[in-house]
Amino acid sequence: MKRIQQACICQTLHFMLKEDVAHEDAVRQVAIEVRRYKDGLKNHGIKHRILEETTRPDGSVILRIIKQYNQSPVGDYLD
């Protein structure tokens, strides 16, 4: 029998601008979406570490993150 001792997932998320919205509004919406994503991680008690957050010249945001996988222990992944 096997059991998961430690587990995390590494993701690169691209929060892209909506094409059918004025540029400034799209940039504002991306900022709101990123904030809601981060708040959601915190509110749901998901252990995580943001490795990098980059705002691209067009206003979109790339977020590199390591986060808890399901409810598995994270061990030393987030140290």
Side-chain angles (χ1 to χ4, degrees):
M1 178 164 79
K2 64 181 178 210
R3 291 194 179 186
I4 296 173
Q5 291 184 331
Q6 301 174 7
C8 280
I9 187 168
C10 182
Q11 294 180 325
T12 301
L13 305 167
H14 187 182
F15 294 87
M16 298 170 43
L17 303 179
K18 292 184 179 179
E19 295 180 11
D20 58 343
V21 179
H23 181 73
E24 292 169 3
D25 291 335
V27 170
R28 195 172 313 114
Q29 289 175 359
V30 164
I32 291 169
E33 186 178 4
V34 170
R35 187 179 69 238
R36 284 184 181 159
Y37 179 78
K38 291 177 183 178
D39 289 346
L41 291 170
K42 185 183 288 186
N43 293 339
H44 289 97
I46 299 171
K47 296 174 185 173
H48 66 282
R49 181 168 48 134
I50 295 173
L51 301 175
E52 182 180 349
E53 182 174 343
T54 306
T55 302
R56 296 175 51 121
D58 67 352
S60 65
V61 174
I62 295 187
L63 190 67
R64 289 187 53 232
I65 186 170
I66 296 175
K67 68 179 187 176
Q68 183 177 23
Y69 181 72
N70 294 335
Q71 295 300 316
S72 299
V74 297
D76 59 357
Y77 283 108
L78 299 178
D79 292 341

